[in-house]
Structures are given as C-alpha cells and as structure tokens.
C-alpha cells in the first residue's frame, strides 16, 4: 500500500484505542449508504450524467483492527477465529486465563475441545454470523448474552454494515504483513532455533544446531551486499541481531534467502 493510492477518510487520535469503533466510523458508514443508493456523476466520455453505485466489499487490517471492526471477543478468547469454529483451550494446571488454539488438543480429563484437521476446518458462513447476531439480540439477561458471546466469539454487530455488502465470514481477513511477516515467520525462526517457549522438537527433527544457525546468520549479512537496495535494505546477522528486521526484511529473507540458506 502506497500513500498515493490511499484516501484518508479520518484519523482516530490516541493514545488509547476507541472502545466503540463503530461510533467513530458512523459518518463513513453514512457515506457508504449514499454511494449504494447512487451518486450523480459526470461521464467525461460522452458528457452525460449518470448515477454511480459503489459498494464496500472488503475490509483489511491487522488482527486487532479486524477484531474491532468485526466486534469480536479477540484472538485470546475461547472462539478466536473469524473464519472457522476452532475453539481455544487454557493451561488449566497452571491456572492460565489466556486461550490458545492447538490443532491437537491436550489429553486431559476435563478437555472437551476436539482436535482439528487443518485441511478440513469447520468454516464460518455469513449466515452463521447473522444467526448468532439474532440470538444475541434475543438474549434476555446479560449473563445469557455473555455466555453466547463467549461460545461464538462475537460481541455484536460489526462496523460498516448498514449496506450489507460484506460477507462477514470471508470479507474481513487479517492482513498479510502483520500476520505472516511479523508474526508467523519470526515464530518459525524461534521454533527452528529452539527458542520458542521452551518447547522441544518432540518426535520431529527440525531444530538447527547453534553453529549452523550462526553460519546462516553470517551468510544472511553477506548475501545482501551485492543486492540493489531497491530489492531490500541492508540485513544484519539474523543469528545475533534481529532488531532491525522489518516486515520487508522478514519477507525478503524468508522468500529469497531462506530456501537456499536452510
């Protein structure tokens, strides 16, 4: 996304995030309604007037932004995913309060969440969202609404939905930069180097020995010396200093260097 391709429709001042994002976006939602109804527009090709109809069919943002836009409980909740029905589990023995979502759930007598096949996840549909919103509206007590919201991960109606042109299940994905470049790739590197939450490799054999990772780090720094800066800025030794690795750096390293260095 480049600035010349963006239209800034508003800025929400900090330092704290808004509790009710929909209220800040209400003027924009009104504009979307007008666009859907039709706005008189001049056609320069034949010098005539016509009614232009436009619809918002897609929303994009990082995890927190999408949770705010969709009015979800959040990625640390019991139902964290906006696309599928996977359920979270807590570390009960350590009295954990944050839910996480392993595909293979722990073997525990109080564990009721089934393991999930990543190739066959139970996906949400737009109709599912609409049905849950109707159930939330019909709740009589706050406790009933709280339990239903926790079960499905939905707190209420999403923002920017007056026109009803967005598929709630598929039209608001987490954006690629934060999700993949600044989250998944660094986590994979931690896992490959034995630095991820004190986990071992289990029955697998993928952990890189320290001397191999040090060699990969040195080769990373050396590799970019002859690559034009238009492709990537200078990369440091990934084994000793990752503080300068931006999303661009992670993307270049993972897509172009890692397949060779690893």
């Amino acid at each position: 996304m480049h600035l010349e391709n963006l239209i800034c429709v508003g800025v929400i001042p900090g330092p704290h995030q808004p509790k009710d994002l929909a209220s800040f976006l209400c003027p924009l939602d009104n504009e979307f309604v007008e666009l859907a109804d039709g706005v008189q527009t001049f056609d320069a090709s034949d010098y005539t007037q016509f009614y232009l109809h436009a619809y918002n069919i897609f929303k994009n943002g990082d995890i927190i932004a999408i949770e705010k836009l969709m009015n979800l409980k959040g990625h640390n909740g019991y139902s964290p995913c906006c696309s599928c029905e996977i359920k979270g589990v807590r570390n009960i023995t350590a009295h954990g309060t944050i839910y996480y979502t392993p595909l293979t759930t722990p073997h525990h007598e109080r564990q009721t969440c089934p393991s999930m096949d990543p190739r066959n996840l139970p996906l949400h549909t737009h109709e599912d969202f609409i049905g849950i919103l109707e159930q939330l509206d019909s709740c009589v007590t706050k406790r009933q609404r709280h339990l239903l919201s926790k079960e499905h991960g939905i707190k209420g109606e999403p923002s920017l939905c007056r026109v009803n042109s967005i598929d709630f299940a598929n039209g608001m994905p987490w954006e690629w930069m934060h999700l993949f470049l600044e989250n998944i790739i660094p986590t994979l590197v931690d896992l490959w180097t034995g630095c991820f939450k004190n986990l071992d490799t289990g029955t697998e054999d993928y952990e890189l020995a320290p001397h191999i990772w040090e060699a990969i780090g040195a080769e990373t720094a050396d590799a970019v010396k002859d690559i034009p800066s238009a492709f990537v800025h200078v990369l440091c030794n990934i084994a000793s200093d990752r503080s300068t690795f931006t999303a661009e750096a992670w993307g270049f390293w993972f897509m172009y260097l890692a397949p060779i260095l690893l």
Side-chain angles (χ1 to χ4, degrees):
M1 296 181 183
H2 299 280
L3 287 176
E4 59 267 24
N5 298 326
L6 299 176
I7 300 176
C8 180
V9 298
V11 176
I12 300 175
H16 303 293
Q17 58 182 324
K19 292 184 178 180
D20 183 9
L21 183 61
S23 64
F24 285 85
L25 297 177
C26 186
L28 179 60
D29 210 6
N30 293 337
E31 295 283 346
F32 284 154
V33 171
E34 289 188 33
L35 281 171
D37 287 339
V39 178
Q40 195 170 43
T41 307
F42 178 72
D43 188 342
S45 62
D46 58 7
Y47 302 98
T48 59
Q49 300 278 346
F50 72 99
Y51 278 94
L52 172 69
H53 301 270
Y55 302 90
N56 179 26
I57 60 172
F58 183 75
K59 299 177 188 177
N60 193 236
D62 62 19
I63 294 175
I64 302 300
I66 293 300
E67 288 172 357
K68 289 286 185 180
L69 284 170
M70 294 190 67
N71 207 1
L72 302 177
K73 295 287 284 186
H75 56 284
N76 290 326
Y78 177 66
S79 297
C81 186
C82 59
S83 299
C84 75
E85 298 177 10
I86 192 169
K87 303 300 182 184
V89 297
R90 293 184 293 115
N91 186 356
I92 300 175
T93 56
H95 305 287
T97 58
I98 295 177
Y99 290 89
Y100 65 102
T101 51
L103 294 173
T104 302
T105 52
H107 296 290
H108 193 281
E109 59 181 7
R110 295 175 60 185
Q111 179 57 252
T112 58
C113 296
S115 297
M116 292 286 184
D117 181 358
R119 295 160 296 187
N120 188 32
L121 292 171
L123 300 179
H124 283 307
T125 66
H126 180 75
E127 290 70 26
D128 292 336
F129 273 86
I130 298 300
I132 295 168
L133 291 175
E134 291 175 350
Q135 292 180 50
L136 288 172
D137 289 339
S138 64
C139 289
V140 178
T141 64
K142 289 185 178 181
R143 175 170 174 76
Q144 184 183 5
R145 184 181 178 92
H146 169 75
L147 293 176
L148 186 63
S149 178
K150 178 182 177 180
E151 175 66 26
H152 298 288
I154 300 173
K155 295 190 293 185
E157 191 175 58
S159 303
L160 305 177
C161 63
R162 286 181 60 194
V163 177
N164 196 27
S165 59
I166 295 180
D167 187 318
F168 293 158
N170 300 303
M172 306 184 209
W174 293 336
E175 54 95 2
W176 186 70
M177 184 189 78
H178 286 90
L179 177 65
F180 191 68
L181 300 182
E182 294 190 344
N183 193 321
I184 293 178
I185 295 178
T187 299
L188 280 175
V189 169
D190 288 340
L191 190 65
W192 293 336
T193 55
C195 300
F196 184 70
K197 298 185 177 181
N198 298 318
L199 293 179
D200 57 29
T201 58
T203 59
E204 305 293 334
D205 183 22
Y206 57 80
E207 188 172 317
L208 299 172
H211 71 280
I212 294 178
W213 183 237
E214 291 172 4
I216 290 173
E219 291 178 3
T220 295
D222 291 337
V224 297
K225 292 180 179 179
D226 300 318
I227 298 175
S229 60
F231 293 93
V232 67
H233 296 292
V234 176
L235 298 181
C236 296
N237 185 321
I238 193 174
S240 60
D241 183 15
R242 287 160 46 179
S243 61
T244 60
F245 269 65
T246 61
E248 175 192 31
W250 279 117
F252 186 88
W253 183 85
F254 191 79
M255 291 186 288
Y256 300 109
L257 297 183
I260 299 173
L261 297 178
L262 297 178

